[in-house]
Amino acid sequence: MSGIAPWIDGGQVPLKRVPGEPVSIRADVFADGHDLVAAAVRWRHQDDGEWSSTAMTALGNDRFQGTFTVERPGTYRVTIRATIDRLATWARAVRAKLAAGQDVRLDLAEGAELISAAESRASGDDRTALRQWHRAVSQMAEMLTYDTSPSGTSPPRSTSPPRSTSPPRSTDPAQSASPARSTDPAPRSAACHPPTPDAVVGLVDDHELHAVAARYPDLEVATTVDAATVLVERPLAGCCSWYELFPRSASPDPTRPGTLADVVDRLPYVAGLGFDVLYLPPIHPIGTTNRKGRDNSPVAEPGDPGSPWAIGSPQGGHDAVHPELGTVRDLRRLVDAAREHGIEVALDLAWQCSPDHPWVTEHPQWFRRRADGSIAHAENPPKRYEDVVPFDFETDDWRSLWEALADVVRFWIAQGIGVFRVDNPHTKPLRFWEWLIATVRSEAPEVIWLAEAFTRPRVMEHLAKAGFSQSYTYFTWRNAKWEIEQYLTELTGTDLAEYFRPNFWPNTPDILPEVLQVGGRGAFVARLVLAAMASATYGIYGPVFELQEHEPRPGAEEYAGSEKYEIRHWNLEDPTSLAPVVARVNAARRVHPALRHNRTLRLQRVDNDYLVAFTKTAITDDGADVVLTVVNLDTRYPQSGWVDLDVDLLGLGPGTPLHAHDLLTDARYEWNGPHNYVALDPTVMPAHVLHLQRAVSHP
Amino acid sequence: MSGIAPWIDGGQVPLKRVPGEPVSIRADVFADGHDLVAAAVRWRHQDDGEWSSTAMTALGNDRFQGTFTVERPGTYRVTIRATIDRLATWARAVRAKLAAGQDVRLDLAEGAELISAAESRASGDDRTALRQWHRAVSQMAEMLTYDTSPSGTSPPRSTSPPRSTSPPRSTDPAQSASPARSTDPAPRSAACHPPTPDAVVGLVDDHELHAVAARYPDLEVATTVDAATVLVERPLAGCCSWYELFPRSASPDPTRPGTLADVVDRLPYVAGLGFDVLYLPPIHPIGTTNRKGRDNSPVAEPGDPGSPWAIGSPQGGHDAVHPELGTVRDLRRLVDAAREHGIEVALDLAWQCSPDHPWVTEHPQWFRRRADGSIAHAENPPKRYEDVVPFDFETDDWRSLWEALADVVRFWIAQGIGVFRVDNPHTKPLRFWEWLIATVRSEAPEVIWLAEAFTRPRVMEHLAKAGFSQSYTYFTWRNAKWEIEQYLTELTGTDLAEYFRPNFWPNTPDILPEVLQVGGRGAFVARLVLAAMASATYGIYGPVFELQEHEPRPGAEEYAGSEKYEIRHWNLEDPTSLAPVVARVNAARRVHPALRHNRTLRLQRVDNDYLVAFTKTAITDDGADVVLTVVNLDTRYPQSGWVDLDVDLLGLGPGTPLHAHDLLTDARYEWNGPHNYVALDPTVMPAHVLHLQRAVSHP
């Protein structure tokens, strides 16, 4: 056996799934010589005592594939068991010899022995049935023996043979008790007429015989290899929509900062937009030493609130709530209230401190010192982050540091938090994440981890391998059609699809991409639709997104007047808000199972380089749910073109009529098959999200 | 670290090489955060105590590659060692800070500590040199400290800085004995002038400092992983030309069969053709039970000699010589005589018996019995091989059988045989081959194993993985240009190139392919040139090849009047013999190092689907040896077209004049660069084998 796929880093990396998703395993299975082989995928959930099994099917050229569906969160072990299928090899030989007019008497006797061996491994009804087949094959061998004509070299051919010679399934206990090797001389057909070749073939090829015997393979010639482990997380890990907001900007009163209680009041709005996850930037006390001012100024003015990522002050550290936001109890109230709206609250894990964090004095050994004894602040030369000091994860006292950080996670889990967004995980040791996520997952398997790493591809992949449930991506900067198509192919059509769950964000507090700076309303809608339709997990940073904030800090991708450094107030009633569009997008995701996974994404051809099109189909229900997304990437001008749908999508013939229902505009189109014209104006609506159905209904 | 390549079956399969060949290892190497990494490939021959090492170079996107050359037969272990390059990371930070006008005083002090740490790991001159660099950097830090001007934020810029500040290599023992952390207050330049930023950069970027320090990495932050093992066989395993002949047809006297002594007399002929390996089909006694007659007739006539593969008679088995061929002593004489001609004799290992083999009665438990107690003959239904009985490799007595077979190999090795062609290895257990080859290789590492398996791709690959030095291929049936190009790409451009050495045969005693049946002389030459030029190991079955025997048994690929079943006599003096062409082809292979490997093979574009073209270059000597092969695949008509050579081949510019010397015809052409016209007439000479040289000579 070789060539197992998927096979991430030598099978060491678990495949990621949510309940209901399929796992397909492929391998080359072969034996020496001409023997036929059989292979099965076997799997076992961590809580199961028994293995389940499904036969692998031959894809040709010694390649086999087997697929099963995971059903419960937890870890599955998956193996491949390959055996030599002696019975199928025997049946093939008998067929070939009969076709060449050769004697098969000895072969039948040998087949009877094979069936007898399977019988001895079987139990219950199967054992009884195999015993009867054994008897039937033995008898046929004897009848050929009685035949004195040279039937071995030129057997008579019957024109209307009894094709099925399966013995009836008997549950007669008396018959079951008969000896396995029956010497019953009474033949099943008249002894004076030897069986025809077709009758022999009918018996040795009996489908049910082979199916029953295959359940009791000869394990002496079996090889079992580990193929994979599968980490199954709860459904939210595979499909969710995130909404990020700064609580201190959530005040309805422009004269005071927002609080966690204000966020409770904001919940109906967020739920109305249709989001599942409400993510809050760090809610902890903020340091004052080297506090940053507005627009990342190195000097804060009086009253500047500082960056929430400069965590810790005399009022507390990572397990405290900023007094201006409220209390830990307020957070629990928010968590509970959110749950009533079907929303989970996600917190930010930013493993760094302000110089005023209590740990800086309590645990000075957790921080790196400069040559002059001063504490090292964060830097990425020439960039300096004087308001932040990083942990020294490789300190001699690393065990107590790592445990303290795990305790922070445990603390917030105890407050009801089940989703964490992790800040810049790529600047901390990969081994730390492996340890932290495994440790917490063993205690709280429901926790979902999102890696906010915008870094090199191999490092982002490694974080996903280390256990993160979801990952930020390069989507934010993929704008051209070829870039988008290439990236979607990479994410859904390579090994990445097995372990890296992309989370698409059109914007973040750190990133106002150029397309949103200059593209206008059409760009916001296009990016929203692309993110939400292409990726089962996506998010926006609001309310700046739906309010289409687009002024950057000069020469930067950051927002001017960024909420990272100041408190803002937002007019959610702005009539130009994209809130209604966001709500329709999220409603489509809730209604259509096709949009809950990425593995069925297929690019569709459009003859216009500004139009990108892709479909998704449901992984269950025979793919009956089909959604086609078409987006105009030109933020200024209308674009039109012809979409060519895969003809095997929906099993479409060239003239099959289709209903296309636009989930964004509620428009309905009648299409005559897979070749269709689309036109999209960015100033009106730059995208179609079309639910496709065959117009011809099946009764 | 991840993505190691090559990585055959999880690194379990040794890469195959011969002395002088390169091994290139690639891997993704990365660390968390922004630290720079360094990686080295390390290797150790089984007899070496020490590891050798070469730095890997960055290919971009965190991918690194390192290459070394194997020098001796045996097994090499290869590892990759990755470290965080703290000194390079430090130097980059200092550069960035200086460029931004920031203070680097503490950074220099910290760099001095890094250098001091490297110094403590170093020895000899390197230690002395690092001590001096340490002192220089410390002094520079102190000089920046003395500076009371705000040079930290706006350092003066010098227009002509002393770029190199490397301390001289000192071997002064007194200086070596000075303390590592020098407190010598005497600065190296005037203390009153602080060093310029350029002087600082010159010191921290000093190439020699980094090169020396890199030899003493901080192993506390190093990761070492096994990357590969490399099996290095003797040169003949990587490059040889085989000539197969039936000794019993080697008689110069048509009235009597040939003998091993006749083969000795045939040696000058074989040497004249230029072959390295003379391969004899089985030379053992032949059974009489169910002996096959001429043209594979199921009944032998009196006087029919039987198939040499029906091994064993009362006269002996696998360790005996057929009395009509001679004695074991005659074989030794042949081996010795051949060696004088630069030829090695290869024997056939065919693990099967005639029913008359002594083992059939001595060790009946080594054979499979039918249901009626009879011994099972070989079959592949409906094909029957009644003159042969196979071993039951899975008999309960398998240990004694396997050892007996190993003893056969040992016996022939003791007679001077160092090359074996193994008959149908794919019909014996793969594990048996792993065991046999490993066992014999541990005793006689010089032995070369050729697998004669024409079967499915995965099985052929697995035999190569199991240890076979060379493998028969599908070349025999690859005739169209696209087939040939695809197959050469697969063999030389994929993982196969690492462990599967193809041996190309235009014909064998079992296979007279259709192209030779109908293609005439041009087809014989074209297939010969393709085999010998595309593959460093190839062979022909003669003298039928050079005499262009091409009559098949009706409806078959086998030869009519096959030597497998009868004794033939050949007229080597036939004036139409291709012997002179064969001799020229083999002479070209001997003269040109480019033709001794497959890994430099590159397909070249020709605008005619009947013309296939490829180049090979020498792996050493900067690729100075270049041979271009062009073959006309049309066996009936002349074909012409334009060949487009890679412009980077020989570093050719578009107008560079070239000498092209045809090694087959001795014709010489002057070419003006890479774009050239060729015309080949199959009735004259269907191929060019062109040695290319730049016409402009370099002094």
Side-chain angles (χ1 to χ4, degrees), chain A residues 1 38 42 80-84 86 217-225, chain B residues 431:
Chain A
M1 207 178 320
R42 310 176 83 236
I80 298 174
R81 186 162 76 187
T83 55
I84 291 174
R86 296 211 190 281
D218 180 2
L219 295 185
E220 293 244 333
V221 293
T223 305
T224 301
V225 300
Chain B
R431 257 181 288 197

Side-chain angles (χ1 to χ4, degrees), chain B residues 211-236:
Chain B
V212 171
R215 291 201 278 271
Y216 307 96
D218 180 2
L219 294 185
E220 293 244 332
V221 293
T223 306
T224 301
V225 300
D226 285 324
T229 57
V230 184
L231 172 68
V232 182
E233 297 180 273
R234 61 189 173 111
L236 196 71

Side-chain angles (χ1 to χ4, degrees), chain B residues 48-80:
Chain B
D48 285 345
E50 297 288 305
W51 290 87
S52 301
S53 179
T54 187
M56 297 177 85
T57 53
L59 304 176
N61 212 6
D62 291 333
R63 194 115 184 107
F64 285 73
Q65 174 170 295
T67 301
F68 66 98
T69 298
V70 294
E71 287 169 2
R72 287 180 292 160
T75 300
Y76 285 75
R77 265 190 68 197
V78 186
T79 66
I80 299 173

Side-chain angles (χ1 to χ4, degrees), chain A residues 112-363:
Chain A
E113 282 177 31
L114 290 175
I115 298 169
S116 169
E119 176 197 334
S120 69
R121 295 187 293 266
S123 56
D125 288 352
D126 287 344
R127 187 173 187 134
T128 308
L130 286 166
R131 183 172 307 149
Q132 297 190 27
W133 270 303
H134 167 225
R135 192 183 301 176
V137 174
S138 297
Q139 284 172 340
M140 201 169 265
E142 283 171 33
M143 286 155 64
L144 287 173
T145 311
Y146 296 153
D147 176 26
T148 53
S149 78
S151 71
T153 52
S154 174
R157 288 205 155 259
S158 160
T159 50
S160 63
R163 288 293 303 187
S164 174
T165 53
S166 303
R169 286 282 198 110
S170 166
T171 52
D172 177 355
Q175 207 165 354
S176 297
S178 68
R181 285 171 182 259
S182 167
T183 53
D184 179 357
R188 290 170 54 82
S189 52
C192 50
H193 289 103
T196 63
D198 285 322
V200 176
V201 168
L203 179 57
V204 304
D205 267 359
D206 188 289
H207 180 75
E208 200 178 341
L209 163 63
H210 289 277
V212 172
R215 291 202 278 272
Y216 307 96
D218 180 2
L219 295 185
E220 293 244 333
V221 293
T223 305
T224 301
V225 300
D226 285 324
T229 57
V230 184
L231 172 68
V232 182
E233 297 179 273
R234 61 188 173 113
L236 195 72
C239 178
C240 53
S241 51
W242 290 55
Y243 188 76
E244 175 173 8
L245 67 74
F246 280 75
R248 67 188 184 189
S249 295
S251 168
D253 174 357
T255 66
R256 66 161 179 85
T259 65
L260 293 178
D262 292 324
V263 178
V264 171
D265 295 338
R266 180 70 60 88
L267 286 170
Y269 173 80
V270 178
L273 293 177
F275 288 100
D276 305 307
V277 176
L278 173 62
Y279 151 51
L280 310 179
I283 57 172
H284 317 300
I286 297 171
T288 50
T289 301
N290 297 328
R291 174 176 285 189
K292 299 279 182 156
R294 295 179 178 222
D295 283 330
N296 201 21
S297 157
V299 183
E301 302 293 322
D304 281 349
S307 162
W309 283 272
I311 295 170
S313 80
Q315 294 162 316
H318 284 79
D319 56 0
V321 171
H322 195 303
E324 291 192 8
L325 291 177
T327 64
V328 170
R329 175 172 296 190
D330 289 332
L331 180 78
R332 297 179 71 139
R333 284 204 192 98
L334 171 60
V335 168
D336 292 341
R339 192 163 289 135
E340 284 171 24
H341 285 91
I343 293 173
E344 287 204 38
V345 174
L347 289 191
D348 195 306
L349 297 178
W351 294 145
Q352 59 195 17
C353 297
S354 117
D356 310 319
H357 195 293
W359 284 349
V360 173
T361 45
E362 291 167 12
H363 303 284

Side-chain angles (χ1 to χ4, degrees), chain A residues 30-35 37 83-86 89 114 218-223, chain B residues 351 364-369 390-403 405 425-433:
Chain A
F30 49 86
D32 53 274
H34 308 288
D35 288 347
V37 296
T83 55
I84 291 174
D85 192 339
R86 296 211 190 281
T89 305
L114 290 175
D218 180 2
L219 295 185
E220 293 244 333
V221 293
T223 305
Chain B
W351 294 145
Q365 74 281 14
W366 290 354
F367 302 89
R368 205 168 66 77
R369 301 277 152 186
F391 294 113
D392 178 6
F393 282 86
E394 278 132 17
T395 167
D396 290 341
D397 194 32
W398 63 271
R399 282 178 194 279
S400 66
L401 168 63
W402 291 22
E403 273 298 342
L405 298 176
H426 57 293
T427 60
K428 288 86 186 172
L430 295 166
R431 257 181 288 197
F432 165 73
W433 295 117

Side-chain angles (χ1 to χ4, degrees), chain B residues 127-476:
Chain B
R127 186 173 186 133
T128 308
L130 286 166
R131 182 173 306 149
Q132 297 191 27
W133 270 302
H134 166 226
R135 190 183 303 176
V137 173
S138 296
Q139 284 173 339
M140 200 169 266
E142 282 173 34
M143 285 155 64
L144 287 173
T145 310
Y146 296 153
D147 176 27
T148 54
S149 79
S151 71
T153 51
S154 173
R157 290 203 156 259
S158 160
T159 50
S160 64
R163 287 292 305 187
S164 175
T165 52
S166 302
R169 288 280 197 113
S170 166
T171 51
D172 177 355
Q175 206 164 355
S176 297
S178 68
R181 284 171 182 262
S182 169
T183 53
D184 179 357
R188 289 169 55 82
S189 51
C192 50
H193 290 103
T196 64
D198 285 323
V200 175
V201 168
L203 179 56
V204 303
D205 267 359
D206 188 289
H207 180 75
E208 199 177 343
L209 162 62
H210 289 278
V212 171
R215 291 201 278 271
Y216 307 96
D218 180 2
L219 294 185
E220 293 244 332
V221 293
T223 306
T224 301
V225 300
D226 285 324
T229 57
V230 184
L231 172 68
V232 182
E233 297 180 273
R234 61 189 173 111
L236 196 71
C239 178
C240 53
S241 50
W242 291 55
Y243 188 77
E244 175 174 7
L245 66 75
F246 280 75
R248 68 189 183 188
S249 296
S251 168
D253 175 357
T255 67
R256 65 161 180 84
T259 65
L260 294 177
D262 292 325
V263 177
V264 171
D265 294 340
R266 182 68 61 86
L267 287 170
Y269 173 80
V270 177
L273 293 177
F275 287 100
D276 305 307
V277 176
L278 173 61
Y279 150 52
L280 309 180
I283 57 172
H284 317 300
I286 297 171
T288 51
T289 301
N290 297 328
R291 174 176 285 189
K292 299 278 182 155
R294 295 179 178 223
D295 283 331
N296 201 22
S297 157
V299 183
E301 302 293 323
D304 281 350
S307 161
W309 283 273
I311 295 170
S313 80
Q315 294 161 316
H318 283 80
D319 56 1
V321 171
H322 195 305
E324 290 191 8
L325 291 177
T327 63
V328 170
R329 174 171 297 191
D330 289 333
L331 180 77
R332 297 181 71 139
R333 282 204 193 97
L334 171 60
V335 168
D336 292 341
R339 191 163 289 133
E340 285 172 24
H341 284 92
I343 292 173
E344 287 205 38
V345 175
L347 289 191
D348 195 307
L349 298 178
W351 294 145
Q352 58 196 18
C353 296
S354 118
D356 310 317
H357 195 292
W359 284 349
V360 175
T361 45
E362 291 167 12
H363 303 286
Q365 74 281 14
W366 290 354
F367 302 89
R368 205 168 66 77
R369 301 277 152 186
R370 300 298 310 267
D372 64 352
S374 66
I375 197 164
H377 61 67
E379 62 177 358
N380 183 11
K383 289 191 215 160
R384 297 192 283 201
Y385 309 97
E386 293 93 340
D387 59 339
V388 169
V389 293
F391 294 113
D392 178 6
F393 282 86
E394 278 132 17
T395 167
D396 290 341
D397 194 32
W398 63 271
R399 282 178 194 279
S400 66
L401 168 63
W402 291 22
E403 273 298 342
L405 298 176
D407 282 343
V408 169
V409 180
R410 292 183 183 109
F411 176 82
W412 294 114
I413 292 171
Q415 312 313 318
I417 300 296
V419 183
F420 293 99
R421 177 269 198 191
V422 177
D423 188 69
N424 281 323
H426 57 293
T427 60
K428 288 86 186 172
L430 295 166
R431 257 181 288 197
F432 165 73
W433 295 117
E434 289 168 7
W435 172 84
L436 180 70
I437 296 174
T439 299
V440 174
R441 196 166 264 151
S442 70
E443 304 164 7
E446 75 281 6
V447 170
I448 292 169
W449 305 77
L450 167 62
E452 187 255 359
F454 293 110
T455 183
R456 290 123 56 213
R458 297 300 91 75
V459 176
M460 290 175 66
E461 290 161 16
H462 200 94
L463 288 163
K465 293 173 180 176
F468 280 94
S469 313
Q470 303 177 2
S471 305
Y472 279 59
T473 68
Y474 305 134
F475 166 77
T476 314

Side-chain angles (χ1 to χ4, degrees), chain B residues 129 165 498 636 676 681:
Chain B
T165 52
E498 301 290 347
R636 306 181 68 184
N676 294 284
D681 183 342

